[in-house]
Amino acid sequence: ISKLLNAEIFEQMGDEALNTSKWQDKALPALVVFNIDHFHRMNTAFGIGGGNRIISAFGDLLTRTLPADTLITRLHSDHFVALFPSNRSHFDISKHVDKIRQQLSRPIKTPSESASITVSAGIDLIEDNDRNVRNSIIRAEHAAHKAQELGRDCFCFYRPELSESTAQLIRVSAELREATNANEIKNAYQPIIRATDRTISAVEVLARWHHPVDGILRPATFMPVAEQTGLIPALTAAVIENIGDDFSLLSVKLNSGALCLNISSIMFKEDDFADKLLASFDDLYIPRQKLIVEITESTLMADMARGLQAINTLRDGKVKVVLDHFGHGRSSYSYLGQINVDGIKLDRIFTDDIEHSTHKRTLTKSIVSAARELGIATFVEGVESKEQAEVLCEIGCDYLQGYYFARPALLEEIDRNKDWEKFL
């Protein structure tokens, strides 16, 4: 949107600049991450088009305010990065960040909008022994997060006491980046069962990292690292490529070509995310009508305008959309009727102990009834016992998923997995 460097070119040029800089004591190259505070409110107030114009205007503000030799890119959504390759002191870089904050004391104006914004900034002074832009971004992101914790509209320097956790993050992110290029990311699949006849309706796609030392790692182990270090797009691309490799054989084995893919909130922040996703599956010759995309409720609520646009683009492209973790956040019947989705997946809080809780059964039944009136299918995950499955079927849930039916399995493991025998 804004006239800035492409992120990949930014990283290449930044590494080159750092490797030709002359380091001096107390005057180091610096990298700053700018996070626009509460940007989702802009999209809600002005719509996605207006939000994009504000993003562009902020990018223009950076380019005309910061020194001419500064390299600037939009990292993603409302995150910008500025690299100052010339030597800077604490005072110099603070002065430049404060100048941006002073400019923001006046509303940003576009041809159609006027918005008052603030930023939380993180600053990393780059040492001679780590001339790497990506590592510096990770450190600056940590500092920007600290600025947000302090109340936003301020900036923080990266501090050495954070070095242990950051060093670990940098190490794992480097390994994960290599994993996406070395076929270490594999897909596991878990069946989604039709409640009426207990047959398989679809499979959910779950990423697994085959780490050369630590063995098979689940998403909870590496997904937070991917989200903090900008690796979500590469990880998603690896998973989608695996789907392309597995699709035909998976369809034959299970007599079901339906695939359910959970997309990170990071991806939904990209303006053309939905179009890119549709194009990716088209390139792999996977029929769109065989796809189900899950978006979490919290993602949708954080930026309703952008989320609804992505949902509509996907559904117009014949892809089904399910709202995941429904009931975990601010769910309400009032907005359930406003969103155009094919299904909702109830959060595990409804499943846990439902066989013993009259309150949970009553609450779940009311949600299922409301969804059915709206023509929305209901999915339930975390089903771990026969008793839970029977209660959920009695309530009227449409689709069930959980260890009671089958654990996730790699494609090559499905044939010899006892839980999967009844579905083959």
Side-chain angles (χ1 to χ4, degrees):
I1 300 169
S2 51
K3 299 176 182 179
L4 306 174
L5 290 174
N6 170 277
E8 185 176 348
I9 295 174
F10 170 85
E11 189 171 337
Q12 292 173 354
M13 292 179 64
D15 284 340
E16 290 175 5
L18 292 180
N19 282 290
T20 57
S21 291
K22 294 182 179 180
W23 262 247
Q24 300 175 11
D25 290 339
K26 299 182 180 180
L28 304 172
L31 183 142
V32 182
V33 168
F34 294 95
N35 294 351
I36 299 178
D37 297 328
H38 302 299
F39 181 69
H40 65 277
R41 294 177 182 173
M42 311 290 174
N43 282 332
T44 300
F46 303 122
I48 292 176
N52 288 344
R53 287 188 288 273
I54 292 169
I55 283 286
S56 181
F58 180 70
D60 292 341
L61 171 66
L62 292 177
T63 56
R64 69 172 181 266
T65 306
L66 299 178
D69 66 342
T70 309
L71 303 178
I72 308 170
T73 188
R74 181 185 176 209
L75 189 61
H76 58 76
S77 185
D78 52 358
H79 287 43
F80 291 76
V81 182
L83 175 66
F84 299 79
S86 301
N87 298 121
R88 307 286 179 198
S89 65
H90 277 73
F91 175 78
D92 288 337
I93 196 65
S94 298
K95 183 173 63 176
H96 288 301
V97 174
D98 254 337
K99 192 171 184 180
I100 295 297
R101 295 177 63 237
Q102 289 169 13
Q103 293 282 345
L104 294 177
S105 64
R106 298 184 296 273
I108 279 188
K109 295 183 183 296
T110 77
S112 306
E113 296 84 22
S114 176
S116 296
I117 69 173
T118 61
V119 293
S120 299
I123 304 170
D124 177 48
L125 296 178
I126 303 172
E127 301 287 346
D128 191 10
N129 59 358
D130 190 2
R131 304 187 182 200
N132 183 283
V133 167
R134 180 160 293 277
N135 292 350
S136 183
I137 289 174
I138 293 171
R139 292 189 290 266
E141 286 270 36
H142 270 241
H145 180 69
K146 183 63 177 178
Q148 290 176 321
E149 289 181 346
L150 293 174
R152 305 176 192 271
D153 190 18
C154 63
F155 64 87
C156 290
F157 281 86
Y158 173 76
R159 300 190 308 276
E161 52 263 39
L162 296 175
S163 60
E164 184 176 346
S165 62
T166 305
Q168 172 75 357
L169 184 64
I170 290 171
R171 180 187 68 79
V172 175
S173 68
E175 292 178 354
L176 185 56
R177 176 179 291 275
E178 180 63 27
T180 60
N181 298 321
N183 297 320
E184 292 177 13
I185 303 300
K186 305 292 184 183
N187 289 1
Y189 301 96
Q190 186 176 33
I192 298 173
I193 307 304
R194 186 179 291 104
T196 52
D197 57 10
R198 302 295 179 93
T199 60
I200 188 168
S201 174
V203 291
E204 181 165 6
V205 183
L206 302 164
R208 295 290 186 266
W209 180 6
H210 283 225
H211 193 281
V213 177
D214 298 330
I216 299 177
L217 303 179
R218 298 170 183 269
T221 305
F222 59 86
M223 196 63 73
V225 174
E227 290 178 341
Q228 291 181 63
T229 58
L231 288 174
I232 286 295
L235 185 61
T236 303
V239 170
I240 291 175
E241 186 173 342
N242 290 340
I243 291 174
D245 294 337
D246 295 348
F247 180 75
S248 296
L249 189 55
L250 191 65
S251 299
V252 171
K253 284 179 179 291
L254 302 176
N255 194 28
S256 169
L259 293 156
C260 189
L261 182 63
N262 198 314
I263 298 296
S264 168
S265 60
I266 297 294
M267 298 295 289
F268 271 91
K269 291 182 178 181
E270 298 300 325
D271 303 313
D272 54 355
F273 149 73
D275 291 318
K276 287 182 178 178
L277 186 65
L278 293 174
S280 296
F281 284 107
D282 288 345
D283 291 342
L284 295 170
Y285 301 102
I286 298 175
R288 295 181 179 182
Q289 61 269 28
K290 294 291 187 181
L291 300 172
I292 304 169
V293 169
E294 292 186 8
I295 172 176
T296 62
E297 175 198 335
S298 58
T299 297
L300 180 63
M301 295 303 292
D303 193 341
M304 183 72 82
R306 189 179 298 272
L308 290 178
Q309 184 181 66
I311 288 172
N312 291 335
T313 299
L314 291 170
R315 296 191 81 239
D316 289 344
K318 303 188 184 305
V319 172
K320 293 181 175 62
V321 179
V322 169
L323 189 62
D324 194 15
H325 293 312
F326 186 84
H328 182 72
R330 295 174 288 176
S331 305
S332 71
Y333 296 136
S334 60
Y335 87 76
L336 186 57
Q338 301 171 20
I339 56 177
N340 193 21
V341 294
D342 299 280
I344 56 174
K345 181 178 279 190
L346 302 186
D347 192 78
R348 289 174 180 268
I349 59 174
F350 296 97
T351 311
D352 293 341
D353 203 41
I354 193 171
E355 67 273 33
H356 302 123
S357 172
T358 302
H359 175 73
K360 284 191 176 183
R361 286 199 298 273
T362 302
L363 183 58
T364 304
K365 188 173 183 178
S366 66
I367 295 174
V368 171
S369 297
R372 181 164 294 166
E373 287 292 324
L374 295 168
I376 298 173
T378 50
F379 296 71
V380 183
E381 60 183 349
V383 182
E384 297 186 355
S385 70
K386 178 181 179 181
E387 292 74 21
Q388 286 179 345
E390 289 176 346
V391 169
L392 292 166
C393 287
E394 181 182 338
I395 286 173
C397 297
D398 298 303
Y399 301 99
L400 310 177
Q401 179 183 355
Y403 285 179
Y404 171 65
F405 300 104
R407 292 175 179 268
L410 301 175
L411 184 64
E412 58 267 26
E413 297 174 345
I414 288 176
D415 285 329
R416 56 181 185 271
N417 188 307
K418 291 184 178 179
D419 288 342
W420 285 77
E421 286 180 357
K422 53 186 171 293
F423 303 122
L424 299 179

